[in-house]
Amino acid sequence: MDFLASIVSKMVTGLYHFLGSAGIPNYGLAIVLMTIIIKIILFPLTKKQLESTRAMMEIQPKMNELQQKYKYDKEKLNQELAKLYQEHHVNPLAGCLPLLIQMPILFGIYYAIRDYQYEGPANFLWMENIANPDPLYILPVLSAITTFIQTKQSMPATKKDTSSDSGLAGMMQGKMMQYFMPLFIGYISLQFPAGLVLYWIVMNIMQIGQQAYLNAKMGKK
């Protein structure tokens, strides 16, 4: 984490000096640019993760049927699920690897911005210092809204399945995630440095845009 945080800190500083050479030295803009660059670099991983998630969503109804049919025979259930994955060329673990690669990077960014030592004025828009929490609470609200949109966008657009325990549990978990996460993110953003919340908002916006693009592209296919 220290290594990744060091890279991110140097990247923010480099972008700040670059903006300074253009006559607009601003740490807020540097963080925005850094987030955009990182999300573009990570786009292939995001694409792989979304494709895997979409594939799993498409076979979810069949998975629920098998889970209901063989709920008292775990061995048979695992065999039938393996056949289902093979028939549809789906690897349930394929979406995990991109996420596991991205998580350390995202944590590195978190620690870098949280502990960043600003060399000059750290004002941005209405904020006098993005090293402190947003005094008007605008960024925390935006973090909650963008998190809600991003979470809702990633939810399966499938028919509600309450015919099985697993289907009902999955629906309940999805609803809880959809509403709890944005509220939680918004709440903790009240105490976080504004620069960190700014990064989270821009990251959400990029994720929403990338996912909308990929959904449209995969929908045509």
Side-chain angles (χ1 to χ4, degrees):
M1 289 302 163
D2 289 341
F3 173 72
L4 291 172
S6 175
I7 293 176
V8 172
S9 295
K10 290 177 180 178
M11 192 173 179
V12 172
T13 301
L15 288 170
Y16 173 76
H17 290 308
F18 169 76
L19 291 169
S21 66
I24 46 173
N26 189 280
Y27 279 109
L29 283 178
I31 291 172
V32 170
L33 284 177
M34 178 208 64
T35 309
I36 292 173
I37 291 170
I38 290 176
K39 284 298 293 179
I40 290 174
I41 293 173
L42 294 178
F43 178 72
L45 293 175
T46 301
K47 181 174 181 290
K48 185 67 176 176
Q49 182 184 346
L50 291 178
E51 287 175 344
S52 177
T53 302
R54 189 181 182 93
M56 289 296 293
M57 284 164 49
E58 289 175 353
I59 65 170
Q60 188 64 46
K62 294 184 179 179
M63 290 173 60
N64 290 339
E65 290 177 9
L66 291 174
Q67 289 168 350
Q68 184 68 14
K69 185 177 181 180
Y70 300 107
K71 60 182 178 180
Y72 299 116
D73 189 346
K74 298 298 181 183
E75 184 177 350
K76 183 64 175 178
L77 172 61
N78 291 333
Q79 291 175 357
E80 292 298 320
L81 287 175
K83 289 180 182 178
L84 180 65
Y85 297 147
Q86 189 173 9
E87 288 173 6
H88 292 270
H89 306 288
V90 172
N91 184 350
L93 300 179
C96 298
L97 183 58
L99 185 62
L100 290 175
I101 294 174
Q102 292 182 67
M103 286 306 292
I105 298 173
L106 298 179
F107 277 116
I109 296 171
Y110 165 79
Y111 286 114
I113 298 179
R114 187 194 67 175
D115 303 327
Y116 188 81
Q117 299 298 316
Y118 297 90
E119 299 175 358
N123 59 300
F124 183 64
L125 297 178
W126 64 88
M127 295 166 287
E128 295 183 1
N129 191 344
I130 59 174
N132 300 324
D134 180 2
L136 300 182
Y137 309 124
I138 295 175
L139 290 185
V141 171
L142 289 177
S143 71
I145 292 173
T146 55
T147 299
F148 174 78
I149 296 172
Q150 194 273 321
T151 305
K152 185 176 179 62
Q153 186 186 44
S154 63
M155 288 292 159
T158 55
K159 186 179 179 180
K160 293 181 180 180
D161 177 18
T162 58
S163 60
S164 65
D165 294 339
S166 59
L168 181 60
M171 188 180 70
M172 294 293 291
Q173 289 173 359
K175 284 292 184 182
M176 185 174 69
M177 181 66 69
Q178 183 177 335
Y179 294 103
F180 172 76
M181 276 301 294
L183 292 174
F184 176 72
I185 293 297
Y187 172 73
I188 62 176
S189 294
L190 295 171
Q191 306 169 41
F192 281 167
L196 181 59
V197 184
L198 178 64
Y199 147 72
W200 182 263
I201 293 170
V202 177
M203 185 186 68
N204 278 343
I205 293 173
M206 288 291 294
Q207 180 71 18
I208 292 167
Q210 289 179 348
Q211 186 158 342
Y213 166 76
L214 290 172
N215 285 346
K217 189 175 181 180
M218 289 186 284
K220 290 180 180 179
K221 289 183 180 181

